[in-house]
Amino acid sequence: MKAWAWMLGGLTLWGLHFLGVYLIASVADVVATADDPAWRMAGLAFSTGCVLTGAVLGLFALRRLRGAEGQVSRFRREVAALGFGVAVVAMIWQALPTIIGH
C-alpha cells in the first residue's frame, strides 16, 4: 500500500490542488467576486504552497531513484518522480489564470 501511495502521490497532490483552488474560487464568488485581489492572492498562495510541496517531493523521488535496487523498485520510483513532475507542471498551468488575471 505504501508503494502505491508513493507512486500516486503527485497525482493526489494535483487533485487536492484542483479541489482547493476550486473551493477558494467558489467561496470568493459567493463572498465577493472571484477576481477580487485578496481572493486571487489566497489562491496564488495556495498554489505556490502546493507547487513547492510537489517540487520538494519530486526532488526527493529523484534522489530515491538513484538508490533503487531492482527493476520493480526502480519502476516504482520512476513513476513517483514522473507523477510529481506532471503535477508541478499542471499546478503551475492551473495557477496561470490567477497570475495573469483572467
Side-chain angles (χ1 to χ4, degrees):
M1 188 69 178
K2 241 168 74 169
W4 278 103
W6 180 242
M7 288 191 308
L8 295 175
L11 301 178
T12 303
L13 180 63
W14 179 18
L16 291 174
H17 173 262
F18 179 80
L19 289 174
V21 170
Y22 189 83
L23 178 67
I24 290 169
S26 296
V27 170
D29 198 32
V30 170
V31 174
T33 60
D35 61 348
D36 186 42
W39 287 100
R40 285 181 52 208
M41 291 303 111
L44 188 59
F46 179 74
S47 293
T48 302
C50 288
V51 167
L52 289 176
T53 301
V56 167
L57 290 173
L59 291 174
F60 183 67
L62 287 174
R63 182 173 288 174
R64 287 183 67 187
L65 180 59
R66 282 190 255 159
E69 297 176 7
Q71 291 181 344
V72 174
S73 176
R74 182 165 179 78
F75 175 73
R76 288 177 181 163
R77 293 172 184 188
E78 285 174 346
V79 169
L82 178 66
F84 283 113
V86 167
V88 166
V89 170
M91 290 184 292
I92 291 171
W93 184 261
Q94 287 174 338
L96 282 177
T98 305
I99 294 169
I100 62 174
H102 291 299

